[in-house]
Amino acid sequence: MKHKFLTVLLAVAIFIPSVVSVVYYNKTNGGAADIHNTLSVTVRDTAGSTFVFDRNDGEEAMKMISFFLDMNAGATEIASVPATVAQGDFYQVTISTAVRDAGYKYYFTPISADCYFVDGDGKAFQIGEKDAQTFLESSWAACLYENGTPPVLTLGTETAKPASSDWSFQNNTGAFTKADTSFSVTEETMSYTLEGGLAMRFSIDPDYFGVKVTDKSTNEVVFDDLYENLSSLAITDSMQVHVEVTARWYEDAERSYYGEQTYSFDAQLTAPAAFYAGATTLQIGEFICVTGVNVRSPENITFSSEPSIDYTPVFYQDGEEGEVYALIPFHWDLSAGNYTLNFTYGGASQQINITLTQRDNPFRDRTVTMDAVTVSTYGTEEIRQRCEAELQPIAEEGSAVRYWEGSFLPGADESALSSGFGHNITVSGTNITYRHTGIDYDLAAGTDIQAVNAGKVVYAGYLDYSGYTVVIEHGYGLKSWYCHMNSTSVAVGDVVEKGAVVGVAGSSGFAAASGVHIGMTVFDVPVCQYTLWDNGTNKGIPVYTAE
């Protein structure tokens, strides 16, 4: 009897750990997470900030873990999250146990009765109003409120991290909650390279914006004043400085926020950018070249014009480091008058004033005669659109290499000019009308056609509308177009010299007579070439060159 009892006791002792293991597995792997088995809760809010609450981090972290677990337990399962809420942003929350991570989507709104979550199985729940309101009054709800998150300081194109941040926002009860800014501050002295000066901008303008600048090479304070007076700071190229910033947003009955942030960082400053136009007076349909100096990242130049010229220039780095160039066309539809071009780069902004005048040779109407076969075969809208579709991608490309030099050639005998730039053309006996993008020359078939200046051939081929066609890129998006020839004598990729033969005159495609059409564009904007000729007023493209 005694041996039988010991045998049973031993069997029970062996069995007990198995039972415990099964219960633990069901509790941690098969069942819901609870306060005993949850290791951490990771919260990523709708602004992209991430907070991690780990049970090893103390009482406050455990309170947050407990809050999410209790909030889940007290929620009511529903069919689905309302569509108006589900379309919005959500908090991504991960609850981690020893054996698995469970993901949740929390849809919080500033209305406590309108908060929900979706678990990893896709089941939807409505959060209890009391729990939702507790969350909405917490610092973790900052991104749900206007101006709930601390302002961001931008240095040129970079975002600075504060050394300290104290920010309070108004919650849905009207009371103020202090935001959690621990994720955004740094004890490290950050270092930035700022082109064009010490440009600083807050996402919310501060009431007080103080700046102290120390020259690191001499340890001398070179500026200690309000940011609005910073223009008085003389900047030399590659100047090394240490910067301290204090910004304050005062408490005001009309505002939903207040606070203070400080910054401490090193910066290497480069000399401010400057922009110059090769010419400041031109006629409608012409273009200018703008030079920028002290610009190392031309893609960061911003541009606007007043009134609008409906064009955004593309700047190219070419030649000396820091020098960039862009061609800017003034479309034939613009009105004569004064235009202000605004350029901003890094900490520098500059205006160039342009006077646009009426043309000496105004655009006029002209009627041309074409035979019926040419009109029906090559002049249909479908054929024209097909030609445009093939050539448009070529027009939109540009080159950082400047091939052109000096004045431009007409490309054919100037005395043979028949239709000029910008003329309004009507084809006699039809309803076909169009704006002339270049110059037509009446020439005997087989007459050599010359490249107007040096460049690279980017198209050579035949199209039903433009006939035998050659397109040459001269640099910075400037192109010359040669159409309706009888044949071409160059290939794509050829680099040709000024005056090189590109083809011979003809009447291919939609052409009224034997000759050639020669046009010029800046990217896809037609421009007038008369002033570029040897007998033109500019004898080429005026380009400002830094000394």
Side-chain angles (χ1 to χ4, degrees):
M1 190 72 178
K2 183 177 179 181
H3 290 293
K4 195 177 285 190
F5 175 76
L6 289 173
T7 302
V8 171
L9 186 61
L10 184 60
V12 170
I14 293 171
F15 181 68
I16 286 174
S18 299
V19 172
V20 171
S21 297
V22 170
V23 170
Y24 180 78
Y25 177 83
N26 287 337
K27 196 171 189 64
T28 60
N29 194 44
D34 62 24
I35 194 63
H36 302 292
N37 63 21
T38 299
L39 302 179
S40 66
V41 173
T42 302
V43 180
R44 188 176 189 273
D45 69 17
T46 60
S49 300
T50 300
F51 310 92
V52 179
F53 307 98
D54 190 292
R55 68 181 301 117
N56 296 320
D57 289 343
E59 184 179 350
E60 289 303 313
M62 285 303 298
K63 283 182 180 179
M64 206 61 191
I65 292 172
S66 178
F67 172 76
F68 270 94
L69 295 174
D70 291 344
M71 182 167 57
N72 287 5
T76 303
E77 186 171 355
I78 57 177
S80 62
V81 175
T84 54
V85 177
Q87 291 171 1
D89 293 331
F90 56 84
Y91 282 64
Q92 182 70 55
V93 177
T94 302
I95 299 178
S96 300
T97 66
V99 293
R100 73 168 187 171
D101 295 337
Y104 298 80
K105 294 179 180 179
Y106 288 82
Y107 295 87
F108 289 109
T109 75
I111 302 172
S112 59
D114 207 16
C115 297
Y116 310 85
F117 73 85
V118 176
D119 68 12
D121 296 325
K123 294 179 181 179
F125 297 82
Q126 182 168 13
I127 300 171
E129 280 194 56
K130 184 178 179 182
D131 288 332
Q133 185 58 41
T134 299
F135 183 84
L136 293 174
E137 293 179 30
S138 75
S139 61
W140 322 115
C143 62
L144 301 176
Y145 300 102
E146 184 179 8
N147 301 321
T149 55
V152 174
L153 174 62
T154 303
L155 306 173
T157 58
E158 298 192 69
T159 300
K161 273 198 165 190
S164 67
S165 179
D166 185 359
W167 189 252
S168 296
F169 63 92
Q170 196 171 36
N171 63 37
N172 63 346
T173 69
F176 281 88
T177 298
K178 188 177 290 292
D180 177 13
T181 59
S182 59
F183 68 95
S184 66
V185 299
T186 180
E187 295 180 359
E188 180 184 356
T189 299
M190 305 298 289
S191 183
Y192 305 95
T193 298
L194 305 179
E195 296 186 76
L198 193 55
M200 295 185 278
R201 183 178 67 257
F202 277 100
S203 55
I204 303 174
D205 290 335
D207 299 300
Y208 173 83
F209 191 172
V211 180
K212 181 179 179 181
V213 181
T214 303
D215 187 332
K216 294 188 69 175
S217 65
T218 62
N219 207 32
E220 176 188 358
V221 175
V222 293
F223 182 86
D224 191 0
D225 200 348
L226 296 177
Y227 175 73
E228 63 192 52
N229 300 322
L230 191 61
S231 59
S232 63
L233 174 62
I235 296 174
T236 58
D237 202 19
S238 299
M239 185 178 183
Q240 301 276 351
V241 298
H242 179 73
V243 182
E244 296 173 53
V245 172
T246 300
R248 299 189 185 103
W249 296 261
Y250 299 130
E251 191 170 358
D252 188 295
E254 302 299 317
R255 290 180 178 171
S256 60
Y257 59 87
Y258 63 88
E260 177 177 311
Q261 296 197 125
T262 65
Y263 297 79
S264 180
F265 58 87
D266 293 334
Q268 177 176 310
L269 309 180
T270 64
F275 297 89
Y276 306 92
T280 55
T281 300
L282 66 160
Q283 298 182 16
I284 293 171
E286 295 176 354
F287 66 98
I288 59 172
C289 181
V290 170
T291 302
V293 297
N294 299 325
V295 176
R296 289 167 175 80
S297 301
E299 66 277 8
N300 293 331
I301 297 171
T302 60
F303 171 84
S304 64
S305 54
E306 181 61 37
S308 173
I309 64 171
D310 195 25
Y311 182 82
T312 301
V314 178
F315 279 89
Y316 290 98
Q317 190 97 47
D318 187 17
E320 293 292 326
E321 183 182 4
E323 288 188 15
V324 296
Y325 302 89
L327 303 180
I328 302 180
F330 286 75
H331 198 273
W332 57 32
D333 286 335
L334 293 176
S335 301
N338 295 318
Y339 290 78
T340 301
L341 310 185
N342 305 296
F343 301 89
T344 300
Y345 179 78
S349 295
Q350 187 175 338
Q351 295 181 339
I352 296 178
N353 296 314
I354 300 295
T355 300
L356 189 64
T357 66
Q358 295 289 355
R359 297 201 55 77
D360 293 336
N361 48 346
F363 302 129
R364 58 188 179 87
D365 299 333
R366 188 169 185 273
T367 300
V368 298
T369 301
M370 291 188 183
D371 64 78
V373 174
T374 299
V375 171
S376 61
T377 305
Y378 303 109
T380 67
E381 184 65 13
E382 178 186 356
I383 287 175
R384 185 191 66 78
Q385 289 182 0
R386 198 160 62 222
C387 178
E388 277 191 4
E390 182 156 350
L391 295 177
Q392 185 65 29
I394 295 167
E396 292 174 352
E397 292 296 320
S399 171
V401 178
R402 185 172 95 190
Y403 296 96
W404 92 79
E405 289 292 341
S407 62
F408 285 64
L409 299 173
D413 184 356
E414 191 179 341
S415 65
L417 194 156
S418 58
S419 294
F421 170 80
H423 289 181
N424 297 297
I425 306 295
T426 299
V427 179
S428 179
T430 74
N431 61 355
I432 298 174
T433 61
Y434 57 90
R435 194 74 176 268
H436 202 226
T437 59
I439 300 169
D440 284 347
Y441 299 88
D442 289 339
L443 300 166
T447 303
D448 285 345
I449 306 302
Q450 297 175 306
V452 298
N453 210 309
K456 184 175 183 178
V457 178
V458 292
Y459 182 87
Y462 178 85
L463 295 166
D464 284 341
Y465 188 77
S466 60
Y468 284 101
T469 302
V470 169
V471 184
I472 298 176
E473 164 74 30
H474 300 286
Y476 311 160
L478 178 66
K479 296 174 180 66
S480 55
W481 305 69
Y482 310 80
C483 305
H484 309 301
M485 296 185 290
N486 261 358
S487 63
T488 64
S489 54
V490 291
V492 172
D494 289 350
V495 176
V496 299
E497 297 299 321
K498 175 180 173 180
V501 176
V502 299
V504 297
S507 57
S508 60
F510 187 55
S514 177
V516 68
H517 167 97
I518 300 179
M520 291 188 72
T521 63
V522 172
F523 290 99
D524 59 354
V525 180
V527 291
C528 184
Q529 54 193 285
Y530 301 141
T531 60
L532 310 181
W533 293 348
D534 284 328
N535 59 358
T537 54
N538 291 329
K539 296 180 174 58
I541 303 171
V543 178
Y544 170 87
T545 302
E547 296 294 332

